[in-house]
Short mmCIF file of all heavy atoms in Angstrom, two decimals:
data_model
loop_
_atom_site.label_atom_id
_atom_site.label_comp_id
_atom_site.label_asym_id
_atom_site.label_seq_id
_atom_site.Cartn_x
_atom_site.Cartn_y
_atom_site.Cartn_z
N LYS H 216 219.37 130.03 103.56
CA LYS H 216 220.04 130.74 104.71
C LYS H 216 221.39 129.98 104.98
O LYS H 216 222.48 130.68 105.21
CB LYS H 216 219.17 130.67 105.92
CG LYS H 216 219.68 131.57 107.05
CD LYS H 216 219.62 133.04 106.71
CE LYS H 216 220.08 133.86 107.88
NZ LYS H 216 220.13 135.30 107.67
N VAL H 217 221.40 128.72 104.94
CA VAL H 217 222.65 127.92 105.26
C VAL H 217 223.64 128.26 104.14
O VAL H 217 224.92 128.41 104.44
CB VAL H 217 222.33 126.44 105.31
CG1 VAL H 217 223.66 125.57 105.32
CG2 VAL H 217 221.57 126.12 106.51
N LYS H 218 223.19 128.27 102.97
CA LYS H 218 224.13 128.60 101.83
C LYS H 218 224.69 129.96 102.02
O LYS H 218 225.89 130.20 101.71
CB LYS H 218 223.36 128.39 100.54
CG LYS H 218 223.11 127.01 100.14
CD LYS H 218 222.41 126.90 98.70
CE LYS H 218 222.09 125.49 98.33
NZ LYS H 218 221.43 125.46 97.08
N GLU H 219 223.96 130.88 102.45
CA GLU H 219 224.45 132.28 102.60
C GLU H 219 225.46 132.32 103.72
O GLU H 219 226.50 133.04 103.63
CB GLU H 219 223.27 133.22 102.85
CG GLU H 219 222.35 133.51 101.78
CD GLU H 219 221.16 134.34 102.10
OE1 GLU H 219 221.09 134.82 103.34
OE2 GLU H 219 220.38 134.74 101.22
N LEU H 220 225.18 131.57 104.81
CA LEU H 220 226.10 131.58 105.88
C LEU H 220 227.42 130.80 105.55
O LEU H 220 228.51 131.31 105.91
CB LEU H 220 225.43 130.89 107.14
CG LEU H 220 224.29 131.51 107.75
CD1 LEU H 220 223.69 130.74 108.78
CD2 LEU H 220 224.76 132.89 108.47
N GLN H 221 227.29 129.81 104.79
CA GLN H 221 228.46 129.13 104.31
C GLN H 221 229.27 129.97 103.43
O GLN H 221 230.51 130.01 103.35
CB GLN H 221 228.18 127.81 103.66
CG GLN H 221 227.60 126.78 104.62
CD GLN H 221 227.23 125.50 103.89
OE1 GLN H 221 227.25 125.41 102.70
NE2 GLN H 221 226.85 124.39 104.78
N ALA H 222 228.60 130.69 102.51
CA ALA H 222 229.21 131.66 101.66
C ALA H 222 229.98 132.72 102.35
O ALA H 222 231.04 133.20 101.96
CB ALA H 222 228.27 132.23 100.55
N GLN H 223 229.53 133.11 103.46
CA GLN H 223 230.06 134.16 104.31
C GLN H 223 231.26 133.64 105.19
O GLN H 223 231.86 134.35 105.84
CB GLN H 223 229.02 134.87 105.09
CG GLN H 223 228.00 135.67 104.37
CD GLN H 223 226.89 136.26 105.21
OE1 GLN H 223 226.95 136.15 106.49
NE2 GLN H 223 225.96 137.04 104.55
N GLY H 224 231.34 132.27 105.10
CA GLY H 224 232.53 131.64 105.90
C GLY H 224 232.11 131.46 107.37
O GLY H 224 232.94 131.15 108.17
N GLU H 225 230.85 131.47 107.62
CA GLU H 225 230.43 131.17 109.05
C GLU H 225 230.23 129.72 109.17
O GLU H 225 229.92 129.04 108.27
CB GLU H 225 229.17 131.96 109.36
CG GLU H 225 229.27 133.45 109.46
CD GLU H 225 228.00 134.12 109.77
OE1 GLU H 225 227.04 133.36 110.06
OE2 GLU H 225 228.01 135.39 109.76
N GLU H 226 230.51 129.25 110.46
CA GLU H 226 230.35 127.91 110.69
C GLU H 226 228.93 127.57 111.06
O GLU H 226 228.28 128.20 111.81
CB GLU H 226 231.30 127.57 111.96
CG GLU H 226 231.31 126.07 112.18
CD GLU H 226 232.18 125.75 113.43
OE1 GLU H 226 232.84 126.60 113.96
OE2 GLU H 226 232.26 124.52 113.76
N VAL H 227 228.41 126.52 110.52
CA VAL H 227 227.02 126.12 110.67
C VAL H 227 226.95 124.86 111.57
O VAL H 227 227.64 123.91 111.32
CB VAL H 227 226.34 125.73 109.26
CG1 VAL H 227 224.87 125.23 109.47
CG2 VAL H 227 226.38 126.95 108.39
N VAL H 228 226.25 124.92 112.59
CA VAL H 228 226.05 123.82 113.57
C VAL H 228 225.15 122.76 112.93
O VAL H 228 224.21 123.13 112.17
CB VAL H 228 225.41 124.32 114.85
CG1 VAL H 228 225.29 123.17 115.87
CG2 VAL H 228 226.23 125.53 115.45
N GLU H 229 225.49 121.48 113.25
CA GLU H 229 224.66 120.54 112.63
C GLU H 229 223.30 120.56 113.18
O GLU H 229 223.01 120.66 114.29
CB GLU H 229 225.36 119.10 112.87
CG GLU H 229 226.72 118.91 112.23
CD GLU H 229 227.34 117.60 112.52
OE1 GLU H 229 226.62 116.86 113.30
OE2 GLU H 229 228.41 117.26 111.94
N GLY H 230 222.39 120.19 112.22
CA GLY H 230 220.95 120.14 112.56
C GLY H 230 220.25 119.27 111.62
O GLY H 230 220.83 118.72 110.68
#
Side-chain angles (χ1 to χ4, degrees):
K216 188 69 175 176
V217 169
K218 288 180 180 181
E219 288 179 0
L220 291 174
Q221 289 177 355
Q223 292 176 3
E225 293 183 2
E226 186 179 358
V227 178
V228 181
E229 292 181 359

